[in-house]
Amino acid sequence: MVLINIFKYVLNLGPTVMLPIAITVIGLIFQQDFTKALKSGITIGIGF
């Protein structure tokens, strides 16, 4: 139940927060360095 509540909380933050998180995760899936993936996520978040 706790994991579901955390997931719902993150989803309720809106697309401005979710998009950078999603881009960071996608970057990590494609085996980018964490810092590069995070930088890409923040850059897209600022642009959004």
Side-chain angles (χ1 to χ4, degrees), residues 3-48:
L3 185 61
I4 293 172
N5 289 335
I6 293 171
F7 190 67
K8 284 183 182 180
Y9 176 76
V10 172
L11 286 177
N12 287 332
L13 291 174
T16 307
V17 176
M18 282 300 299
L19 190 61
I21 293 172
I23 295 300
T24 303
V25 170
I26 290 170
L28 292 173
I29 289 172
F30 285 111
Q31 298 178 351
Q32 268 188 330
D33 293 334
F34 178 74
T35 54
K36 190 171 183 180
L38 184 64
K39 184 178 177 183
S40 299
I42 290 173
T43 303
I44 287 185
I46 290 171
F48 187 69

